Amino acid sequence: HFSSYSQAWEKISSLKKIPFSPQDAWQELEKKQISFSVLEDDNYPSLLKEIPSPPRGIYYRGNLFPNMIPLAVVGTRKVSEYGKIVTEKIVKELILYNILIVSGLAQGVDTIAHYTAVKNGGKTIAVLGSGLDNIYPASNQKLAQTIIQQGALVSEYPLGTTPYPAYFPWRNRIISGLSRGTLVIEAPKKSGALITAHFALEQNREVFAIPGSIFNQNSQGTNKLIQQGAKLVSAVQDILEEFNIPLQPSPASSPILEDLEE
């Protein structure tokens, strides 16, 4: 796809008046085993094409698993023990149903979601707010390498782009845009996870939320989402129902609260 890559970048470099050698940049991508796909390409994720502001092109390393059902699993960086248990339980069960876990590689819920997926043989996609050669946070370098083997790292930002605060809220539209729905595990009132949920609503996608204690700040955002019409999730079948996936008779069908009480 060098020609589409070259055309995309020639347009950008002429707009921004920057010197750019598509050939050199393409060789760098090939050397690092990074693929590039523009909006018009067949291998550009079909769900992402449908959103109001799709990236003109995406960089990815790994496999996007287009035949799986993608679900965004997001939440606060400062995850509680409750949030950790819920994330692990839900993700372990979702991957049994051919569901691809999409998240943002941030600390907290995102990290637990990715890690639980790869540890249990599932597939996962991490969407970065930086170039694919700048893994952020650095503590997730090893996890990122594992994700490449069992999914993909995705970014709209070219190599060399360092993490910048404004990039993260905007990349959240890609997390929700790649996904059939977004599940928010834990989120205080002001949380990036709520931004992802709002993008999901704009994109006409499902929004799911885990309820929590009214005394827990981390549940203020999720409880508010439920008030506003997000689907309350107490067990994995609440998500499967929306995707018309039949529930297998197995321990996977037990509600979260039963696990917490054991």
Side-chain angles (χ1 to χ4, degrees):
H1 300 313
F2 171 67
S3 60
S4 55
Y5 177 79
S6 178
Q7 285 166 11
W9 270 100
E10 275 170 15
K11 189 174 179 182
I12 290 167
S13 57
S14 66
L15 288 171
K16 296 189 175 178
K17 304 282 190 295
I18 53 170
F20 180 75
S21 165
Q23 189 68 49
D24 291 350
W26 186 255
Q27 286 173 354
E28 182 74 4
L29 292 179
E30 286 188 328
K31 192 169 83 177
K32 293 183 173 170
Q33 298 178 304
I34 293 168
S35 304
F36 179 81
S37 181
V38 295
L39 201 50
E40 295 77 18
D41 288 344
D42 291 340
N43 63 348
Y44 188 99
S46 55
L47 284 170
L48 195 58
K49 283 185 181 183
E50 297 171 8
I51 72 170
S53 301
R56 286 289 311 146
I58 56 165
Y59 299 83
Y60 63 95
R61 191 166 172 210
N63 187 336
L64 296 173
F65 293 102
N67 297 322
M68 293 182 73
I69 297 167
L71 176 77
V73 178
V74 296
T76 180
R77 286 170 171 77
K78 295 176 180 173
V79 63
S80 70
E81 189 60 24
Y82 169 74
K84 183 174 182 290
I85 292 167
V86 170
T87 307
E88 288 174 349
K89 175 178 170 57
I90 286 276
V91 170
K92 271 185 199 172
E93 295 175 8
L94 287 169
I95 62 176
L96 299 175
Y97 293 90
N98 199 39
I99 287 178
L100 172 68
I101 305 299
V102 182
S103 200
L105 202 69
Q107 287 173 337
V109 169
D110 294 19
T111 294
I112 296 163
H114 291 305
Y115 181 75
T116 305
V118 295
K119 183 183 165 193
N120 292 281
K123 308 293 186 233
T124 186
I125 286 176
V127 184
L128 308 187
S130 57
L132 295 185
D133 52 349
N134 276 304
I135 302 300
Y136 180 84
S139 56
N140 275 344
Q141 288 274 6
K142 193 174 174 187
L143 176 59
Q145 292 306 310
T146 310
I147 289 170
I148 292 165
Q149 309 306 315
Q150 288 178 235
L153 303 179
V154 173
S155 178
E156 67 179 316
Y157 299 111
L159 296 185
T161 306
T162 52
Y164 182 68
Y167 293 161
F168 290 91
W170 187 228
R171 72 83 205 258
N172 289 356
R173 83 193 193 288
I174 301 177
I175 295 175
S176 57
L178 283 168
S179 308
R180 287 263 302 271
T182 291
L183 169 65
V184 185
I185 303 277
E186 273 192 325
K189 275 182 181 171
K190 292 185 177 178
S191 169
L194 299 182
I195 295 171
T196 311
H198 291 141
F199 276 128
L201 286 172
E202 279 180 18
Q203 296 159 355
N204 207 23
R205 306 287 163 83
E206 300 291 343
V207 177
F208 306 94
I210 301 286
S213 165
I214 61 170
F215 302 113
N216 184 348
Q217 283 191 333
N218 271 359
S219 293
Q220 287 178 354
T222 48
N223 290 349
K224 183 79 173 170
L225 283 175
I226 293 163
Q227 275 186 333
Q228 294 169 339
K231 180 161 184 177
L232 185 154
V233 172
S234 66
V236 74
Q237 59 257 47
D238 297 322
I239 297 168
L240 301 177
E241 277 171 8
E242 295 302 315
F243 296 156
N244 295 316
I245 301 170
L247 185 70
Q248 298 162 1
S250 76
S253 61
S254 67
I256 292 158
L257 291 177
E258 283 181 20
D259 275 28
L260 288 173
E261 286 163 5
E262 283 171 8

